[in-house]
Amino acid sequence: MKAIILSAGQGRRLLPLTAEVPKCAVPVAGRTMLEWQLREIAHCPISEVVVVTGFAAPAVESIAAKARGVRVRTLHNPFYALSDNLGTCWIARGEMDGPFVLINGDTLFEAAVLNRLLAAPAPAPITLAVDAKSFYDADDMKIVARDGRLLKVGKQLDLDEVNGESIGMMSFTDAGALLFRKSVERLMVQPDGLKRWYLSAIDALARERQVGVCSIHGLDWCEIDDHADLAAAETLIHGWRLAGERGIVARGGAA
């Protein structure tokens, strides 16, 4: 199984930390975001990781070259400054040639999250990892799901319908990879293609009943968009370390 990590963006909301390095190279609790991701992926049935770079690509390539426990390659998006992450998926579409996992470069997670997604039954060609909470803000990538199927995903959904959020991780079967590639290619030729998120492709496929959901509720993950998120991630990882030292939780990944 291949994992593709989208790490092309600068992450301007983390300035000045991202003035010279991309968001995925910002340190969190002593390691960069990408290092944490690769360490946890190494405890999952993933044979290869492709990291899609963009802003300050050499910094990401340096991290990838030092990875241990999993084979890592990089793929550059030279148009990162002109496109959103749909464009980054378009650049990486040649890597989507079989079953794979797609992961946002700013999503930190314990290995158990990815392992649960990979072990989940696949009622549809694409499976979105989701969580639930009592309140959703404007920044959350919200979902509407029913009976294990994704119906809608987006930031502007009616809160009366919303019953979860995407964590920025999903898996694809062979058929799902083909469906996603075609959807990405179809959207990229639209006038607003460069400004779209890749989840607009997933939303379109969800309306065709091609996307299932896997709840990872109760497991540890976080998305890092701004300085407040970064502080929360530091606390989360500190908790991982304490749990590991005390032997309280078998997380499936070393902190």
Side-chain angles (χ1 to χ4, degrees):
M1 175 74 79
K2 179 188 296 183
I4 299 174
I5 303 178
L6 305 181
S7 298
Q10 178 180 4
R12 296 185 62 83
R13 283 192 280 175
L14 282 173
L15 285 169
L17 298 177
T18 53
E20 297 182 2
V21 298
K23 185 195 292 190
C24 71
V26 170
V28 186
R31 295 189 178 96
T32 66
M33 296 186 205
L34 180 56
E35 284 179 284
W36 283 115
Q37 289 182 316
L38 295 175
R39 282 172 65 86
E40 296 302 306
I41 288 172
H43 293 276
C44 302
I46 297 292
S47 59
E48 180 181 36
V49 180
V50 178
V51 182
V52 190
T53 68
F55 178 76
V60 185
E61 292 164 359
S62 177
I63 296 167
K66 297 172 185 175
R68 297 291 180 268
V70 65
R71 187 158 68 97
V72 184
R73 295 186 288 114
T74 59
L75 174 67
H76 187 59
N77 174 9
F79 312 112
Y80 70 89
L82 303 175
S83 67
D84 213 311
N85 59 22
L86 179 71
T88 301
C89 285
W90 184 84
I91 290 291
R93 70 194 188 284
E95 296 288 348
M96 302 171 185
D97 54 355
F100 74 99
V101 176
L102 189 65
I103 302 172
N104 288 354
D106 58 3
T107 298
L108 295 189
F109 54 90
E110 59 175 329
V113 170
L114 180 52
N115 280 327
R116 181 178 292 183
L117 174 63
L118 293 175
I126 302 167
T127 304
L128 187 69
V130 301
D131 201 357
K133 57 187 180 183
S134 59
F135 172 79
Y136 300 94
D137 61 35
D139 229 17
D140 292 330
M141 189 59 72
K142 296 170 277 291
I143 69 154
V144 178
R146 186 178 305 123
D147 299 326
R149 294 275 183 164
L150 182 71
L151 303 181
K152 302 175 186 177
V153 58
K155 290 192 175 184
Q156 306 299 323
L157 301 184
D158 184 345
L159 289 177
D160 289 335
E161 293 185 285
V162 168
N163 56 2
E165 65 176 322
S166 166
I167 74 163
M169 179 188 294
M170 64 197 70
S171 64
F172 299 79
T173 65
D174 274 312
L178 179 60
L179 286 167
F180 184 62
R181 289 200 312 269
K182 287 184 174 180
S183 185
V184 168
E185 290 168 351
R186 186 164 55 247
L187 290 174
M188 277 297 291
V189 301
Q190 300 301 314
D192 62 346
L194 288 174
K195 302 302 180 184
R196 283 179 177 257
W197 293 316
Y198 74 81
L199 281 171
S200 60
I202 297 299
D203 182 65
L205 292 169
R207 294 168 193 267
E208 299 173 6
R209 296 186 59 77
Q210 299 291 348
V211 186
V213 296
C214 170
S215 172
I216 55 84
H217 191 65
L219 300 178
D220 285 343
W221 72 279
C222 64
E223 180 185 41
I224 301 176
D225 285 323
D226 53 30
H227 290 272
D229 291 340
L230 188 60
E234 295 264 357
T235 300
L236 179 69
I237 291 172
H238 180 64
W240 290 355
R241 283 177 165 153
L242 285 178
E245 289 170 2
R246 296 170 181 168
I248 296 172
V249 180
R251 293 177 42 248

